[in-house]
Amino acid sequence: MAPPRIYKNFIDGEWVDSLCGQTFENLNPANRDDLVGIFPKSGPDDIDRAVNAAREAYKSWRLVPAPKRGEILFRAARLLQERKETLAQQMTREMGKVLEEARGDVQEAIDMTFYMAGEGRRQFGQTTPSELPNKFCMTVRSPIGVAALITPWNFPMAIPAWKCMPALICGNTVVLKPAEDTPLSAYNLVQVLEEAGIPRGVVNLVCGFGPEVGAPLVRHPDVRLVSFTGSGEVGRDVAAACASSFKHTCLEMGGKNVIIVMDDANLDLAVDGAVWGGFGTTGQRCTAASRVVVHKKVYKEFAEVLVAHAEALRVGDGLDPATQMGPLINEAQLATVDRYVQIGKDEGAKLLCGGKRLTGGLYDRGSFYAPTVFGDCDPRMRIAQEEIFGPVVSLIPCDDLDHAIEIGNSVIYGLSSAIYTQDVSKAFRAMRDMETGIFYVNASTIGAETHLPFGGMKQTGNGHREAATAALDFYSEWKSVYVDFSGKLQRAQIDNA
Ligand code: ADP
């Protein structure tokens, strides 16, 4: 077997080892004997170097015309397109998601890169009349400075792209700290940006662990923006660390998303949505449909068909085209899922299928868990309240639409929700009343597109949105510009009163 490849950080336009020389292993979650690569285990000194490089590069990058910045992004998007298959295969190997979904992840990065490249020629501001004569008013977007981007493992390329591309098109420079489980996809993205011609220091990649790399990055005094996607626990720490210096902070955290199935729903369609939303990406999406609230008139039938579908899912290595659900990301995540299953049983929820680790044959080499459905859940149970991040769906019966909405909103999160119904009035009522940043009608809770704002209400986030032009509002500051060509002192609110 060829020796494993050793990867590096990217700092100030150079591929470099961590200063301490330490490394960590990136393992395939479907087969822990498969070493995907060796990555630098960085520390605060590497962060210092990367932030310094980004701070210096900012001086010139902010002055590059945005359409020119866009040209680099267009080139990067085309390179990603050319390499899509290889990038997807590498992603499945490091993260486990089935190849079809890994292709979707790369495609999302492509879409975001093209989209933000186009924003280079837009970034429209406003012109507006002044209240005074011979005076002109407009708004322009200004870049902010060094952006610290901290990303999770479940979308190893899409999320780094969601954060890098709007940051760059607005004229900021970037230090990206990818999740320790999936540094290869971030490495590949940064390599593409380098090949596309990004100037030195504008994009920096520092691999490593949260406490040693993420924590000093968000605390660095020269970092002006922090965008974080991950757990609520770390998000709270990031928010607190940024508060004292008033860094701009965008937080994307958990979800406990719900599908509502009314008695008039197309049940086959609703089951398809529940299977895709609950078990797609092995349930490891922040938009995963981990709760399904079903009208009591159709509850029994729905539960039976859902369980049949869940039991029929082929679980295995995501690189095998026959596989429909891959492994969990690592053993710690598997232990968390298993713990929640035990909690569900102890709470009195009815285990309808799954509920155990898969063993035997190839399963023994990876972190595989059976698709799991709990029935007759009380909405107050912990399995119906807390994010599990695994292939576990809780079914909750309801009496009517009002009851379903009340249950749907009874969690601390507010990322995504969905309703299956043929009744347009019910669909619009749910659209209005669900406290989530994303809402679907007759479609599952997952499937966000890059040109619409992405983010959640309540404790999912802190009020910002990623993607779409909404992202530009985070990665730039509005500057209001007044040009007085009257040739005399004109006092607003006084001379025109
Ligand atoms: P998950 O449970 O999805 O792994 P985490 O919140 O633990 O979510 O991790 C998300 C990202 O945040 C990862 O890149 C991780 O390394 C990083 N991270 C973890 N702890 C910290 C921290 N204290 N400060 C900053 N970043 C951190």
Side-chain angles (χ1 to χ4, degrees):
M1 236 171 53
R5 184 161 163 205
I6 298 172
Y7 292 87
K8 302 195 178 210
N9 287 332
F10 189 62
I11 297 178
D12 203 14
E14 309 280 342
W15 294 97
V16 293
D17 293 323
S18 65
L19 284 169
C20 67
Q22 289 183 21
T23 57
F24 67 96
E25 294 182 338
N26 180 2
L27 299 177
N28 178 346
N31 176 5
R32 304 228 160 260
D33 299 332
D34 177 24
L35 178 57
V36 177
I38 293 176
F39 286 81
K41 189 167 181 291
S42 315
D45 294 346
D46 301 288
I47 285 298
D48 246 355
R49 284 183 65 191
V51 173
N52 288 345
R55 193 195 55 226
E56 286 307 304
Y58 176 67
K59 292 174 186 164
S60 49
W61 180 245
R62 75 182 185 89
L63 300 175
V64 174
K68 290 280 162 206
R69 299 197 285 255
E71 284 173 20
I72 297 173
L73 266 50
F74 274 123
R75 278 200 292 281
R78 284 195 295 271
L79 286 170
L80 291 171
Q81 273 180 324
E82 282 167 22
R83 289 174 202 176
K84 180 173 169 182
E85 189 56 28
T86 311
L87 297 175
Q89 301 225 4
Q90 292 190 351
M91 182 185 299
T92 293
R93 201 174 147 214
E94 76 167 342
M95 189 273 170
K97 64 170 76 173
V98 295
L99 194 49
E100 206 179 16
E101 288 186 41
R103 290 190 192 111
D105 193 310
V106 178
Q107 186 59 46
E108 205 168 322
I110 295 168
D111 294 344
M112 183 59 81
T113 309
F114 273 127
Y115 181 83
M116 287 300 164
E119 284 306 307
R121 285 198 183 268
R122 287 185 289 267
Q123 297 193 29
F124 301 125
Q126 296 172 317
T127 59
T128 176
S130 166
E131 64 188 40
L132 290 158
N134 296 321
K135 198 171 172 188
F136 181 87
C137 304
M138 61 183 164
T139 60
V140 293
R141 288 191 185 276
S142 294
I144 300 174
V146 178
L149 312 178
I150 298 181
T151 55
W153 45 261
N154 63 337
F155 281 84
M157 185 171 282
I159 295 181
W162 281 14
K163 296 186 191 302
C164 283
M165 304 312 164
L168 293 171
I169 202 67
C170 287
N172 307 288
T173 54
V174 161
V175 178
L176 170 63
K177 192 294 228 198
E180 48 272 31
D181 284 294
T182 57
L184 178 55
S185 296
Y187 177 100
N188 287 337
L189 182 71
V190 169
Q191 192 174 46
V192 158
L193 282 165
E194 182 200 18
E195 286 179 43
I198 205 87
R200 64 184 295 158
V202 171
V203 172
N204 302 274
L205 172 77
V206 185
C207 301
F209 291 76
E212 297 124 54
V213 182
L217 178 58
V218 302
R219 284 165 179 80
H220 199 290
D222 291 332
V223 165
R224 300 279 304 275
L225 290 164
V226 175
S227 181
F228 166 84
T229 302
S231 62
E233 196 187 351
V234 175
R236 193 165 282 116
D237 180 65
V238 170
C242 294
S244 60
S245 53
F246 306 113
K247 291 185 170 89
H248 292 214
T249 316
C250 174
L251 305 171
E252 270 316 320
M253 298 162 296
K256 191 69 188 177
N257 313 290
V258 67
I259 291 178
I260 294 172
V261 181
M262 296 313 296
D263 51 342
D264 65 350
N266 175 336
L267 282 196
D268 290 336
L269 192 65
V271 167
D272 284 347
V275 171
W276 174 228
F279 304 119
T281 327
T282 322
Q284 301 170 114
R285 292 193 185 212
C286 42
T287 51
S290 51
R291 297 181 296 158
V292 186
V293 174
V294 189
H295 195 287
K296 60 187 178 194
K297 279 193 200 152
V298 293
Y299 177 83
K300 195 162 168 287
E301 184 185 351
F302 181 89
E304 277 169 17
V305 185
L306 176 67
V307 167
H309 276 67
E311 285 180 327
L313 281 175
R314 289 186 299 274
V315 182
D317 186 337
L319 288 172
D320 178 347
T323 298
Q324 292 171 301
M325 192 180 98
L328 289 160
I329 185 69
N330 55 35
E331 285 296 298
Q333 194 59 32
L334 190 142
T336 301
V337 170
D338 215 30
R339 200 168 60 245
Y340 270 109
V341 166
Q342 191 54 49
I343 290 170
K345 287 187 204 163
D346 294 346
E347 285 177 315
K350 204 154 121 198
L351 183 63
L352 301 180
C353 67
K356 60 177 186 307
R357 174 180 203 135
L358 294 171
T359 53
L362 71 87
Y363 291 144
D364 289 339
R365 291 186 295 181
S367 309
F368 293 97
Y369 207 85
T372 301
V373 180
F374 275 111
D376 298 343
C377 298
D378 183 295
R380 289 162 300 186
M381 288 176 176
R382 284 184 64 192
I383 55 164
Q385 288 285 322
E386 298 173 22
E387 186 175 50
I388 300 174
F389 231 59
V392 182
V393 173
S394 298
L395 292 182
I396 307 168
C398 73
D399 299 332
D400 53 25
L401 180 62
D402 287 338
H403 189 208
I405 291 172
E406 185 190 322
I407 295 168
N409 284 336
S410 69
V411 294
I412 58 168
Y413 300 111
L415 183 52
S416 183
S417 58
I419 187 167
Y420 283 82
T421 178
Q422 303 297 321
D423 182 338
V424 70
S425 308
K426 290 196 171 95
F428 269 81
R429 275 178 53 206
M431 180 196 77
R432 182 193 62 196
D433 295 339
M434 285 309 299
E435 295 167 348
T436 58
I438 303 169
F439 180 75
Y440 294 89
V441 178
N442 291 329
S444 193
T445 53
I446 63 182
E449 299 178 28
T450 52
H451 56 301
L452 278 80
F454 182 95
M457 299 181 183
K458 295 160 50 180
Q459 291 191 28
T460 289
N462 63 339
H464 290 289
R465 291 292 181 269
E466 302 203 83
T469 49
L472 304 180
D473 290 332
F474 176 71
Y475 289 103
S476 65
E477 294 251 36
W478 282 116
K479 189 175 281 181
S480 300
V481 182
Y482 302 88
V483 182
D484 192 322
F485 53 97
S486 68
K488 60 180 184 197
L489 175 67
Q490 297 201 94
R491 298 172 302 173
Q493 294 92 37
I494 296 173
D495 289 333
N496 61 340

